[in-house]
């Protein structure tokens, strides 16, 4: 880093320190391929508006309780180094930074975030089950459907599908919980299967007394062999326990016998705890919560209805409509609205409304009032919060006319080599597919920095395999230490970044094997890296591979090919004047 650059970066570091709330407000710093990441004592002290205008900054947002400042690949390395030196603070690994961010949360924040992480993972399945249940309820109340063999058959299949998803929901929750708390996801599936095995009496049938329940006596304690259908709280608790046990045994069991003994001990210990402690405690909590909520509706009038409606959404962990349920619950009480069944909501749910006392009209009114109240409160809250709290990504700086070389994507130590190679090159330049898989637009990638083209236009491939190839004749200008991203300079002068996976920087190079190094010349189609797609997906990461034109050749633009399945070597884009 020459003196002029260092002086510029020192000024950036000074401004970032001041705008982030001062030295004492910065708890940790790290960087990934494109972003400087800061953990702050108090995010409200950071002036995100002003940080957006700092030299070379391309965007700012808050995610994962980290302040993330987009500089671009390579450049962020130097800025992070200078900032760390100015603060007399070591740059952290992203894993350590995440731990630091979690520590600054209070216990309630950590608990809510953990629950959110668990249910976001399985939310698609829950939504599918809910919609199928609603559709099944509507079809079940239409005489024409019930009297037509084909329609009745379809209705039954829908009912079976929705019931199956909800029936096995505890297994899904156990799986997601074990994964969230660091255990191997398969151990969550194993304990989930044990919870729902047909060797146990069905929980609903046992509650109704229609099935005989076997009781064992272990250490003098009675253990009822009843399944955990609907036992979401139990699944959460046993998921945490299973994850901790799995981590413990994986560390303590000698490696020579670990493969066989560790999962055995985890399963045995989790099973005993499930039936003897976790199960009874979880059932007690669930029954207690239900009893309190029902009592509130029976004895507290409109307050009970409003409280039930508001809390009920939190109980089922959707976490999005607390205010809707509260206001709507009050309307339900005042209008004496009742239901003929359960399982569906909103528009299709009108089929289950009791027509007595203008039930249909009151059903519509309750929803309109609830939606209107939610909109009003959201609007008022939006006015009350400053833009910096929203964590919105800024794209204004992306086209602010920064000097190309300084605001570029990676270090320029190899620029002389690159310039000699591209001196006589001309556009147009064709770029071939860098992987096998599905070619999609960059705007469809599940990451705002890429999708909003803050770093530049590009394409993405949802890979079908685990190999990345050079899309054109090029020189390697940057290889990330975490091996998930490389920067290239093509023969025609285009600076590109190939970034494999979303947030895979957190893997710290695990499952990646890079075959190139800085300054190496590559021919189109040469292998750049291998990665274990299945293991990365098993860790919960999106494996979409992005190709970003961080520095297009001067005066050029990118013409992308149509979205389709591609093989390495197929043309995916052309850079033209």
């Amino acid at each position: 880093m020459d003196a002029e650059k260092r002086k510029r970066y020192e000024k950036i570091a000074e401004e970032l320190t001041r705008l982030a709330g001062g030295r004492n407000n910065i708890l940790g710093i790290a960087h990934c391929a494109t972003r400087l990441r800061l953990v702050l004592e108090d995010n409200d002290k950071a002036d995100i508006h002003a940080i957006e205008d700092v030299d070379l900054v391309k965007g700012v947002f808050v995610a994962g309780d980290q302040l993330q400042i987009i500089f671009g690949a390579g450049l962020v390395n130097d800025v992070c180094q200078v900032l760390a030196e100015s603060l007399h603070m070591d740059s952290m690994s992203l894993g350590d930074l995440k731990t630091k961010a979690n520590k600054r949360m209070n216990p309630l924040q950590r608990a809510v975030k953990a629950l959110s992480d668990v249910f976001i993972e399985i939310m698609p399945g829950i939504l599918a089950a809910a919609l199928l249940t609603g559709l099944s309820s509507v079809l079940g109340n239409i005489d024409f459907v019930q009297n037509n063999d084909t329609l009745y058959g379809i209705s039954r299949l829908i009912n079976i599908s929705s019931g199956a998803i909800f029936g096995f929901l505890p297994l899904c929750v156990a799986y997601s919980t074990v994964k969230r708390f660091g255990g191997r996801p398969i151990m969550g599936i194993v304990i989930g299967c044990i919870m729902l095995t047909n060797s146990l009496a069905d929980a609903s049938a046992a509650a109704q007394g229609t099935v005989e329940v076997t009781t064992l006596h272990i250490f003098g304690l009675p253990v009822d062999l009843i399944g955990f259908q609907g036992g979401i709280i139990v699944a959460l608790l046993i998921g945490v326990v299973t994850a901790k046990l799995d981590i413990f045994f994986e560390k303590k069991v000698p490696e020579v016998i670990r493969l066989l003994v560790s999962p055995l001990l985890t399963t045995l210990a989790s099973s005993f705890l499930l039936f003897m402690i976790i199960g009874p405690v979880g059932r007690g909590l669930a029954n207690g919560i239900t009893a309190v909520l029902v009592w509130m509706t029976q004895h507290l009038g409109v307050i009970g209805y409003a409280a039930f409606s508001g809390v009920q959404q939190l109980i089922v962990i959707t976490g999005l409509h607390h205010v809707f349920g509260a206001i709507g619950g009050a309307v339900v009480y005042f209008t004496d609205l009742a239901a003929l069944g359960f399982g569906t909501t909103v528009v299709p749910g009108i089929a289950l409304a009791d027509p007595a006392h203008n039930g249909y009209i009151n059903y519509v009114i309750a929803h309109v009032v609830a939606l209107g109240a939610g909109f009003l409160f959201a609007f008022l809250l939006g006015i009350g919060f400053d833009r910096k709290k929203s964590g919105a990504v800024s794209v204004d700086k992306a086209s602010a006319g920064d000097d190309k070389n300084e605001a570029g994507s990676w270090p320029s130590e190899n620029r002389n080599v690159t310039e000699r190679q591209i001196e006589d090159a001309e556009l147009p330049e064709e770029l071939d597919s860098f992987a096998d898989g599905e070619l999609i637009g960059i705007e469809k990638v599940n990451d705002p920095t890429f999708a909003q083209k803050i770093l530049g236009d590009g394409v993405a491939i949802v890979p079908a395999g685990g190999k990345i190839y050079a899309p054109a004749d090029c020189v390697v200008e940057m290889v990330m230490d975490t091996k998930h991203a490389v920067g290239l300079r093509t023969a025609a002068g285009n600076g590109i970044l190939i970034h494999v996976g979303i947030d895979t920087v957190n893997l710290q190079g695990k499952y990646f094997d890079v075959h190139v190094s800085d300054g190496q010349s590559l021919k189109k189609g040469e292998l750049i890296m291998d990665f274990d797609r299945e293991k990365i997906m098993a860790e919960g990461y999106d494996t979409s591979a992005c190709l970003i034109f961080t520095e297009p050749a001067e005066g050029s633009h990118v013409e992308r090919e149509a979205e389709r399945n591609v093989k390495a070597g197929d043309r995916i884009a052309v850079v033209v004047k």
Side-chain angles (χ1 to χ4, degrees):
M1 188 188 310
D2 60 40
E4 185 177 348
K5 282 185 179 180
R6 185 171 187 86
K7 185 176 180 180
R8 187 175 187 182
Y9 298 158
E10 287 174 345
K11 184 177 179 182
I12 292 173
E14 181 182 347
E15 290 188 59
L16 290 179
T17 302
R18 176 176 58 84
L19 296 173
R23 293 172 180 264
N24 293 334
N25 197 44
I26 301 176
L27 301 180
I29 60 175
H31 72 86
C32 59
T34 59
R35 310 167 207 176
L36 177 67
R37 302 182 180 218
L38 306 180
V39 172
L40 305 181
E41 178 72 34
D42 184 356
N43 286 341
D44 290 342
K45 292 182 180 179
D47 190 342
I48 294 180
H49 240 338
I51 293 175
E52 292 172 353
D53 295 322
V54 171
D55 186 24
L56 303 184
V57 171
K58 296 175 184 270
V60 184
F61 60 98
V62 175
D65 210 39
Q66 300 172 12
L67 178 65
Q68 301 191 13
I69 307 169
I70 303 170
F71 283 99
L75 175 61
V76 72
N77 302 45
D78 291 339
V79 173
C80 183
Q81 176 186 340
V82 172
L83 178 61
E85 291 173 358
S86 70
L87 295 173
H88 305 291
M89 182 183 295
D90 291 333
S91 177
M92 297 178 169
S93 70
L94 286 170
D96 291 340
L97 193 76
K98 187 175 181 180
T99 300
K100 176 74 77 172
N102 288 337
K103 285 183 178 179
R104 67 175 293 275
M105 297 181 184
N106 61 45
L108 178 61
Q109 288 174 322
R110 286 198 293 269
V112 170
K113 186 178 186 303
L115 282 176
S116 174
D117 291 343
V118 168
F119 283 92
I120 284 175
E121 176 79 11
I122 60 175
M123 189 56 69
I126 295 175
L127 292 175
L131 292 173
L132 287 171
T133 299
L135 181 57
S136 175
S137 298
V138 171
L139 294 176
N141 284 277
I142 300 176
D143 291 337
F144 176 73
V145 172
Q146 299 302 305
N147 295 327
N148 182 284
D149 289 343
T150 299
L151 294 178
Y152 174 77
I154 293 173
S155 175
R156 283 282 293 153
L157 290 178
I158 292 173
N159 180 264
I160 291 170
S161 300
S162 63
I165 297 172
F166 276 126
F168 285 89
L169 188 58
L171 185 152
C172 299
V173 172
Y175 154 81
S176 186
T177 304
V178 171
K179 180 178 177 181
R180 165 60 179 81
F181 285 92
R184 289 173 293 180
I186 185 61
M187 301 310 298
I189 294 176
V190 169
I191 198 67
C193 290
I194 294 171
M195 291 176 66
L196 303 176
T197 176
N198 57 13
S199 297
L200 302 173
D202 181 83
S204 178
Q208 297 171 11
T210 58
V211 66
E212 182 179 351
V213 176
T214 301
T215 300
L216 304 178
H217 292 84
I218 301 176
F219 302 122
L221 297 175
V223 178
D224 294 330
L225 299 184
I226 301 175
F228 296 92
Q229 292 80 7
I232 303 304
I233 292 178
V234 176
L236 283 167
L237 295 175
I238 195 61
V240 175
V241 171
T242 301
K244 300 303 181 184
L245 287 172
D246 188 42
I247 294 170
F248 175 79
F249 288 125
E250 279 291 291
K251 289 181 179 178
K252 297 300 182 180
V253 175
E255 186 174 359
V256 67
I257 58 173
R258 183 179 300 157
L259 179 63
L260 296 176
V261 175
S262 175
L264 169 66
L265 294 176
T266 298
T267 303
L268 281 175
S270 297
S271 299
F272 277 100
L273 291 172
L274 171 66
F275 288 107
M276 300 186 68
I277 299 176
I278 303 298
V281 170
R283 283 196 176 111
L285 283 174
N287 292 335
I289 292 170
T290 301
V292 169
L293 291 176
V294 171
W295 181 89
M296 290 171 64
T297 61
Q298 293 174 341
H299 296 85
L300 299 183
V302 64
I303 296 176
Y305 270 74
F308 180 93
S309 301
V311 174
Q312 185 259 353
Q313 293 293 336
L314 180 61
I315 297 302
V316 298
I317 321 293
T318 64
L320 299 176
H321 308 8
H322 312 308
V323 175
F324 292 12
I327 302 297
V331 174
V332 167
Y333 174 79
F334 284 122
T335 59
D336 197 24
L337 178 62
L340 300 175
F342 66 93
T344 187
T345 57
V346 197
V347 176
I350 197 170
L352 298 180
D354 188 341
H357 310 295
N358 298 314
Y360 294 142
I361 295 175
N362 291 330
Y363 183 88
V364 173
I365 291 174
H367 280 83
V368 170
V369 170
L371 290 170
F375 175 83
L376 177 62
F377 288 140
F379 180 75
L380 293 176
L381 286 172
I383 295 176
F385 283 94
D386 188 79
R387 182 186 174 193
K388 68 180 180 180
K389 288 188 178 181
S390 70
V393 179
S394 170
V395 298
D396 294 339
K397 280 289 284 185
S399 57
D402 290 326
D403 176 70
K404 282 274 186 176
N405 292 334
E406 289 298 332
S409 305
W410 41 75
S412 56
E413 283 79 1
N414 298 311
R415 183 61 54 84
N416 290 334
V417 176
T418 303
E419 286 175 349
R420 285 199 300 271
Q421 292 190 343
I422 68 173
E423 197 172 44
D424 300 321
E426 296 181 355
L427 295 178
E429 180 176 58
E430 295 186 358
L431 277 83
D432 289 350
S433 174
F434 52 95
D436 296 339
E438 181 186 0
L439 176 68
I440 61 174
I442 195 66
E443 60 277 357
K444 293 186 177 180
V445 173
N446 188 27
D447 182 280
T449 301
F450 296 139
Q452 297 184 26
K453 303 182 183 179
I454 293 176
L455 296 175
D457 198 359
V459 294
I461 293 176
V462 181
K467 295 184 182 296
I468 299 295
Y469 303 92
D473 293 347
C474 58
V475 170
V476 180
E477 289 198 326
M478 181 274 296
V479 176
M480 280 293 295
D481 293 339
T482 47
K483 303 179 184 179
H484 74 295
V486 295
L488 309 172
R489 179 74 52 178
T490 71
N494 292 292
I496 59 177
L497 172 71
I498 296 181
H499 188 288
V500 180
I502 306 302
D503 289 330
T504 45
V505 65
N506 296 324
L507 293 172
Q508 294 293 297
K510 187 166 65 170
Y511 310 133
F512 289 92
D513 188 12
V514 178
H515 304 292
V516 299
S517 57
D518 292 358
Q520 181 177 341
S521 296
L522 298 175
K523 290 293 185 181
K524 181 185 291 189
E526 284 194 63
L527 181 65
I528 292 177
M529 74 167 73
D530 291 298
F531 60 97
D532 195 320
R533 172 177 165 270
E534 286 72 25
K535 289 184 178 179
I536 294 173
M537 292 174 66
E539 294 268 7
Y541 292 94
D542 184 329
T543 57
S544 298
C546 303
L547 185 153
I548 311 296
F549 290 88
T550 52
E551 287 186 14
E554 186 175 355
S556 69
H557 67 276
V558 180
E559 294 182 354
R560 300 184 294 186
E561 295 286 318
E563 296 183 0
R564 65 188 191 282
N565 288 326
V566 294
K567 293 285 188 181
D570 294 348
R571 191 174 77 174
I572 58 172
V574 181
V575 184
V576 297
K577 287 287 189 182

